[in-house]
Amino acid sequence: MAQSNGVKNQTSAQELPPVSDIQDPVASEAQGELVADVQDIDGILNSLKTLLSSVEKLQKIRQEVGDVKPLIGRMLDGELMAGEELEQLKTGVSGLSRLIRAYSDHQAALAKAQPARNLLDQVLKGSQAN
């Protein structure tokens, strides 16, 4: 028979946490993954919105600059311009720097939105199976 060393090894009810406070590690991990998945999806959707916005901005600036492309070509050919054509040319040249920034923003948004491709593939495969 085991010998007692005289120390009582009892825990009172006050020292135990309530059953509702005890978390199942497997359930906690699954819940954590679910939260991470939702955050990933939100991030992906936000990156798609950013990409769409950058595409719209890029297209608008391209159109503005594209309207002066013939004038820039004429200027590069050495032709002199005056009046309204010269004002359009000034606007177009300043638009080129906006175009470069918009293009850079678009490239960054495009790279950030690439995970959306995988999500779209997963969603479409799931919907085709039904």
Side-chain angles (χ1 to χ4, degrees):
M1 184 162 161
Q3 299 246 341
S4 172
N5 63 4
V7 177
K8 292 187 179 180
N9 204 9
Q10 294 178 344
T11 306
S12 70
Q14 291 176 339
E15 293 174 7
L16 293 175
V19 174
S20 62
D21 288 351
I22 300 174
Q23 294 184 352
D24 178 12
V26 174
S28 294
E29 185 176 321
Q31 185 178 14
E33 288 175 7
L34 180 62
V35 169
D37 287 346
V38 169
Q39 289 173 341
D40 286 346
I41 291 170
D42 285 345
I44 288 169
L45 293 176
N46 286 335
S47 68
L48 283 176
K49 289 176 186 176
T50 301
L51 178 59
L52 179 60
S53 175
S54 74
V55 166
E56 290 173 334
K57 185 177 180 180
L58 181 60
Q59 291 294 71
K60 180 181 176 189
I61 295 172
R62 271 187 180 165
Q63 185 176 8
E64 291 171 5
V65 172
D67 293 343
V68 296
K69 183 178 178 184
L71 294 175
I72 293 173
R74 287 174 44 201
M75 180 182 70
L76 291 172
D77 290 340
E79 197 174 316
L80 298 178
M81 287 172 256
E84 189 176 316
E85 286 183 332
L86 185 58
E87 291 303 315
Q88 288 178 340
L89 188 58
K90 287 179 184 178
T91 302
V93 170
S94 69
L96 287 174
S97 64
R98 289 187 9 233
L99 178 63
I100 291 168
R101 281 194 305 269
Y103 181 77
S104 176
D105 292 347
H106 174 258
Q107 291 299 308
L110 186 61
K112 190 173 181 182
Q114 287 306 307
R117 189 181 305 264
N118 296 336
L119 178 63
L120 185 60
D121 287 344
Q122 289 175 351
V123 169
L124 291 178
K125 286 179 184 176
S127 66
Q128 290 174 354
N130 292 333

